[in-house]
Amino acid sequence: MRNIITSIIAIGLVVLTTTTAAQEKLADTTEYLPVSLFAGVSGGAAFHDAEFIQLPGLPNCCEPYTGATGLSALVDVGAEYRTAIRLFTDNLRLRLSVGAQLMPTHFRQNEVVGNIINNQTVTDGVVEHQLDLSYLGLTIQPGIILPLPSVDGLQLMIGGLVTLPITTTVEQQQVLASPTDQSYTFENGERFRARNSGPLPGATSPLLSAVAALRYVMPLSQSWQLVPMIKYQQALGSITSETPWNVTSVHAGIEVAWQLPKPEPAMPEPPAPEPVDTTPITIVPPPVLASNVSIVSRTAGATVNGDTIFAPVITEWVADTIQSILPTLYFEYNSTNPVGGEDAIQRFAQAVKQSMVDSTDQREHVVITGSASADEDARLARERISRLLRDVPVNQNHVSVVQRKAPEARYPGLAEEDRFVRVELGSTRRMLHRFAESKQIMTEAVQLAALHTITCEAAPCVTSVNVEGGRTPKTTTTDVVIPITADIPVGSTAEQPSLVSVTLRTTDSTGNSVDAAAAMVLRRTVKETHRNRLWTDPTGVVKQRGLLLAVFDFDQTQPSSVDLHVVDSVRIALAHGRKVTLVPSTDEFGSDTYNLELRKKRAEVGRALIGKAAADLPVDLTATNPTTPHPMQRAVSRSVWVRIE
């Protein structure tokens, strides 16, 4: 084997010698340096040629180890340098790599022995001598690469390999191979003996080897190459100094190479600057033109907070309408439908709710009386109460329910007044009320002004004005105060804020222009409020003849309900010295003489309701007895009114 390696090296030297004359320096016309980096891996079989019985420190007997086959693997990285020596179609290359090589192997040698024991029986057997080597070394591999003719990319690599052992471990034992019966053992009672382990004695360091490889370069790109190879490696000495032990290996492997690019050329020096003309230049500045604008209010009482103007320009007229409602709801004959339809019961229910809230004690006792006329089914009284309670939520713990069937009416028309539900709040049987508020507003236009601050060296300067959210009579002006009127925008209300903006463009006599703009949020606020109170009678008509103080049942002088709000209003009017007149009234039934006396008695009841201050109040007894077909209107006609002047 050594002769083969020697022949390969000799052939390489001859080829190198014969091509010396063809050396030439490569023209540096490529973009890459003559240096490339590579990484490779290879592996294959390792053939161990040895002649020893035992190694020092690892006793063995009798049969020598002669040879074994194991594995060999190598991983390395390195660099190649492309020389200027031309050989065939390529250049000669030098390389150097470092790596790690693994060479495990297993020696096996059989021996026939005669001391195999089975209880009292001793027989012959076969002993297998086993020696296992684990070998890991650091490698340094120099070499040269010679291109081969005829095939582009085919190369021959020859060189050496220096291996520095890192770890070497030897494990040795004798194992009973035959007989296979487990009852047969050595004299120690086991089926193995002479088991030893330790480092390889006298491991050669460094271990020198000759290497030859056939390579084929496969370009992947301009800078990347893939190189498969077949490699032959022959150790030039024994791997241990204690005994002859040579190793020969054959590998197949692959490398990946990357050729280093040339660095970017340095940027050329910038050209020398041209000489600068140092002649002074006189610069005449243009005339100054500057403009600024702000928005202010010209409305009396206006205030400003940040970017918002609060302008008091709204006048309110508020009408508080108080409708007196009889605490009695009348129904159609033989029906639970109220007179006046669904609207009537909704108004009545609303009046009950508002009157209960208006009460000083919302827990006061409530008496609900349901009535059926003499010509109706008595059960209608309860059904009419139930109809009302569906719309009037009351506390069941503070409600009393009374059902009645009225006797025969004295007059046919009075039977309509016996079909009712009456709500009595507390002990005073007070009148119910519905409260409503209506509002009308008048808004004045907000008066603003745009204040223009201007610096104009090339007079005259003329300003064009554009206003959004308002209007101005001056669309082109030289004035510095520009009036603006802001109306309510279309589609908005007085309470909604609006935006007023002004944009000015000022031009001087040279044609230069400058712009200025300003904007403010405008909120219109209430300047004054006028409030008026209107009283309406139970029919919804504004009271022309006065305020309804109390109402009475037919031919009665004790009121069925009293309006406590009117009582308070009369007492206040008397305290302020105003003139108050009592106006009692009766319905159309009965003679004039009888009704006159009845009106006098009701006037005295009115005095009593007002108190001591009403002892000398005048009474107007000239009221007529109107004929009214509606039961509520008839009930209102049996009343006492108060006229305040």
Side-chain angles (χ1 to χ4, degrees):
M1 185 63 65
R2 294 183 179 177
N3 294 332
I4 296 175
I5 298 299
T6 304
S7 300
I8 293 174
I9 295 175
I11 293 172
L13 293 175
V14 172
V15 173
L16 179 62
T17 303
T18 56
T19 56
T20 302
Q23 295 181 8
E24 60 180 12
K25 186 171 179 65
L26 294 176
D28 191 13
T29 59
T30 66
E31 299 178 357
Y32 299 94
L33 296 174
V35 178
S36 59
L37 305 179
F38 66 87
V41 60
S42 63
F47 305 98
H48 295 256
D49 183 13
E51 184 66 38
F52 62 89
I53 294 176
Q54 65 177 13
L55 295 173
L58 300 171
N60 190 36
C61 177
C62 307
E63 289 296 327
Y65 295 109
T66 59
T69 301
L71 298 176
S72 178
L74 176 66
V75 177
D76 62 347
V77 294
E80 287 185 5
Y81 175 72
R82 186 187 65 216
T83 69
I85 302 173
R86 194 72 172 175
L87 184 62
F88 302 121
T89 59
D90 203 348
N91 296 79
L92 181 71
R93 299 171 186 265
L94 304 179
R95 61 181 277 143
L96 179 66
S97 67
V98 295
Q101 184 172 23
L102 186 66
M103 290 191 302
T105 189
H106 308 282
F107 286 89
R108 298 292 184 266
Q109 191 68 42
N110 290 337
E111 177 188 4
V112 178
V113 298
N115 56 346
I116 307 306
I117 302 171
N118 181 6
N119 293 327
Q120 300 300 322
T121 304
V122 178
T123 183
D124 294 337
V126 177
V127 176
E128 184 180 63
H129 296 259
Q130 298 180 356
L131 186 143
D132 297 332
L133 171 66
S134 297
Y135 188 99
L136 175 64
L138 175 67
T139 63
I140 302 173
Q141 184 176 348
I144 62 173
I145 298 177
L146 305 173
L148 297 179
S150 302
V151 179
D152 289 341
L154 190 62
Q155 299 173 342
L156 174 65
M157 189 272 287
I158 58 176
L161 182 68
V162 180
T163 304
L164 304 175
I166 300 174
T167 62
T168 60
T169 302
V170 178
E171 295 181 355
Q172 180 180 268
Q173 66 177 346
Q174 297 177 14
V175 178
L176 183 58
S178 176
T180 59
D181 188 345
Q182 298 298 311
S183 61
Y184 286 91
T185 64
F186 291 112
E187 65 277 5
N188 61 359
E190 302 288 346
R191 289 184 62 83
F192 63 86
R193 66 184 180 186
R195 178 174 289 178
N196 299 288
S197 64
L200 178 64
T204 302
S205 179
L207 177 62
L208 303 180
S209 302
V211 178
L214 191 62
R215 302 158 30 102
Y216 182 69
V217 180
M218 301 170 57
L220 299 178
S221 65
Q222 289 185 347
S223 58
W224 288 92
Q225 297 172 340
L226 190 65
V227 184
M229 69 179 69
I230 297 175
K231 185 190 302 182
Y232 177 82
Q233 177 181 329
Q234 174 63 57
L236 301 181
S238 175
I239 67 172
T240 172
S241 60
E242 301 296 334
T243 185
W245 186 345
N246 294 320
V247 181
T248 302
S249 60
V250 178
H251 286 198
I254 193 167
E255 289 180 354
V256 177
W258 176 59
Q259 190 165 359
L260 298 179
K262 288 183 177 180
E264 293 291 335
M267 295 295 294
E269 292 291 333
E274 296 182 0
V276 178
D277 186 1
T278 58
T279 303
I281 299 176
T282 302
I283 300 176
V284 179
V288 176
L289 178 61
S291 173
N292 190 27
V293 65
S294 61
I295 299 176
V296 298
S297 174
R298 297 190 301 164
T299 299
T303 59
V304 178
N305 185 2
D307 61 351
T308 303
I309 297 175
F310 297 87
V313 293
I314 299 176
T315 301
E316 293 182 331
W317 281 269
V318 181
D320 295 321
T321 302
I322 304 176
Q323 182 181 7
S324 300
I325 302 292
L326 295 182
T328 305
L329 180 66
Y330 296 98
F331 288 83
E332 302 284 353
Y333 173 69
N334 266 341
S335 172
T336 58
N337 294 325
V339 175
E342 189 67 22
D343 289 343
I345 196 169
Q346 294 298 328
R347 289 193 299 270
F348 188 78
Q350 183 182 16
V352 173
K353 295 176 187 177
Q354 292 184 347
S355 298
M356 292 175 67
V357 172
D358 185 54
S359 167
T360 57
D361 184 0
Q362 297 184 25
R363 296 173 299 172
E364 64 185 346
H365 195 73
V366 179
V367 179
I368 301 178
T369 302
S371 175
S373 62
D375 55 348
E376 289 183 314
D377 188 338
R379 291 175 295 181
L380 279 172
R382 183 174 186 82
E383 293 175 3
R384 286 165 177 165
I385 293 174
S386 300
R387 176 67 183 86
L388 176 65
L389 290 178
R390 289 204 301 266
D391 294 285
V392 182
V394 293
N395 189 332
Q396 300 295 328
N397 297 324
H398 301 287
V399 174
S400 296
V401 176
V402 178
Q403 304 176 53
R404 68 181 287 269
K405 182 175 174 65
E408 193 72 32
R410 290 171 55 182
Y411 296 96
L414 294 178
E416 297 177 351
E417 298 184 38
D418 291 330
R419 306 165 190 148
F420 66 82
V421 170
R422 177 173 294 164
V423 178
E424 299 178 13
L425 300 177
S427 59
T428 58
R429 294 185 176 182
R430 65 178 181 272
M431 196 86 70
L432 305 180
H433 295 93
R434 289 179 65 238
F435 303 93
E437 180 184 273
S438 60
K439 182 188 296 185
Q440 292 182 338
I441 65 172
M442 183 186 75
T443 305
E444 306 170 9
V446 181
Q447 301 301 322
L448 307 172
L451 303 183
H452 190 196
T453 304
I454 183 173
T455 301
C456 178
E457 293 185 352
C461 288
V462 179
T463 301
S464 60
V465 183
N466 180 46
V467 177
E468 298 288 340
R471 50 189 169 86
T472 180
K474 296 185 177 183
T475 57
T476 302
T477 183
T478 57
D479 296 340
V480 295
V481 178
I482 303 168
I484 298 174
T485 301
D487 300 311
I488 299 176
V490 177
S492 300
T493 62
E495 292 82 1
Q496 291 177 319
S498 60
L499 182 68
V500 178
S501 63
V502 59
T503 304
L504 307 181
R505 169 161 289 187
T506 303
T507 305
D508 63 11
S509 60
T510 66
N512 291 331
S513 297
V514 65
D515 294 336
M520 293 291 283
V521 176
L522 180 60
R523 285 187 176 272
R524 298 165 179 84
T525 59
V526 176
K527 178 173 65 174
E528 55 185 350
T529 300
H530 303 279
R531 188 172 292 272
N532 185 30
R533 175 173 289 184
L534 299 177
W535 294 78
T536 65
D537 64 20
T539 63
V541 177
V542 177
K543 299 175 181 178
Q544 302 296 332
R545 52 179 174 171
L547 306 179
L548 182 60
L549 176 64
V551 295
F552 300 82
D553 288 338
F554 176 74
D555 199 22
Q556 298 296 315
T557 58
Q558 292 301 317
S560 60
S561 61
V562 178
D563 195 329
L564 299 181
H565 286 280
V566 174
V567 173
D568 292 338
S569 297
V570 172
R571 291 173 179 172
I572 294 173
L574 290 173
H576 287 78
R578 298 181 65 179
K579 180 181 179 181
V580 177
T581 304
L582 297 177
V583 184
S585 64
T586 54
D587 58 20
E588 71 268 26
F589 300 109
S591 66
D592 291 342
T593 301
Y594 184 85
N595 285 340
L596 177 61
E597 293 300 319
L598 189 59
R599 288 198 291 273
K600 291 179 181 179
K601 295 178 182 180
R602 290 175 175 171
E604 293 302 319
V605 172
R607 284 195 176 99
L609 291 173
I610 297 171
K612 294 181 180 180
D616 299 327
L617 288 183
V619 178
D620 183 358
L621 298 174
T622 61
T624 59
N625 304 321
T627 300
T628 56
H630 195 286
M632 180 181 293
Q633 294 173 344
R634 191 181 301 117
V636 171
S637 68
R638 295 190 293 268
S639 58
V640 174
W641 296 78
V642 177
R643 189 167 59 235
I644 301 175
E645 302 176 19

